[in-house]
Structures are given as structure tokens and as C-alpha cells.
Amino acid sequence: SLEAAENRANRSNERVDLGNDLPASSLAAAALAAAKTKTGLPYVYGASGPSSFDCSGLTSWAYAQAGARIPRPSQGQANAGTRLSMSQLMPGDLVLFYGDLHHVGLYAGNGLVLHAPRTGTFVRYESINNMPFQFGVRI
């Protein structure tokens, strides 16, 4: 049917090549899987889900779905685990951006971050190189 073909086309547009890096842990895998279900939902400042998110709202919600409580603000998440360089990142790790650490996302694999960027945008995948990377954090 035309509707089925259109649904297939919409899905294929959403397919992202995340490579085949293994997640850092089953916890990280579960958090990333939870966050993936929220792609396309709107960024709303201060929102912690489940229908809209800001950056740290998405990451804290995702880890909560996986059974881990992490701090809500990005600066708190920056100190919630082991710090990593870019070359050490594995899917599900937190990635912190900007000198004041005001932005956080989840490393999704293949140089991509899954994050809630800013007002007027939606939860999406983006190149890790589009923002000033500071360090990763493994929960």
C-alpha cells in the first residue's frame, strides 16, 4: 500500500549508521536504548521527559530507565563517573560539551551523539565534532 511505502520511507530517513562499537556496559546500553526511543521529541528547557527534554533531562531520564540515578544538571553529570577522552568513548557514555559543561549528550557510536540540542530543536543524532567536546563520563 501507499501508506506502508510511506512509513518505510520515513523509517529509512531515520536510520543512522551508529557503527558496531559495543556499549560500555549493559547499563550504558539500556540508557542509550531508552534515549533512542525519544528521537524527534521537542527540546524544552527544564524538561525531564517523558514527552520533552532538555539536554541533561534526556540523559538523566535515560539512565533512570536503565536503573541508575545520576545528577540532573549537566555539571553534576560531569562528575558522576569516570572521565574519558574522545578515543575512549563507547556507546552510552555521557559526553560533555563547552568549557562550562552546560551541554551533555549520550555517545551513540560512530562519532555521533544523541542529544536534546536547544530550544526549537528535537532530540536527534549529531556529529560529536559539531560542538566543543570536553570529555566523556562512564557511569
Side-chain angles (χ1 to χ4, degrees):
S1 78
L2 186 60
E3 189 179 78
E6 196 167 68
N7 286 340
R8 264 196 313 279
N10 287 340
R11 273 200 308 275
S12 69
N13 291 339
E14 292 165 16
R15 261 192 213 116
V16 177
D17 181 8
L18 299 177
N20 40 25
D21 296 343
L22 291 173
S25 64
S26 55
L27 178 67
L32 182 58
K36 284 177 179 176
T37 68
K38 300 302 178 178
T39 53
L41 289 180
Y43 175 100
V44 174
Y45 182 78
S48 300
S51 55
S52 59
F53 297 91
D54 68 10
C55 67
S56 57
L58 177 66
T59 52
S60 60
W61 178 89
Y63 268 93
Q65 304 317 296
R69 295 250 167 258
I70 63 172
R72 173 63 175 77
S74 57
Q75 290 89 348
Q77 292 179 20
N79 294 311
T82 309
R83 289 201 179 186
L84 309 166
S85 67
M86 195 178 292
S87 64
Q88 293 172 305
L89 292 175
M90 296 168 79
D93 287 334
L94 297 174
V95 275
L96 280 296
F97 298 96
Y98 301 96
D100 63 356
L101 308 177
H102 74 261
H103 191 65
V104 63
L106 289 167
Y107 186 67
N110 202 27
L112 296 173
V113 176
L114 180 55
H115 70 144
R118 71 194 77 82
T119 301
T121 65
F122 298 85
V123 176
R124 68 183 185 209
Y125 295 96
E126 193 166 341
S127 169
I128 196 168
N129 300 315
N130 288 1
M131 299 161 286
F133 173 83
Q134 303 300 307
F135 52 85
V137 173
R138 185 157 299 151
I139 301 299

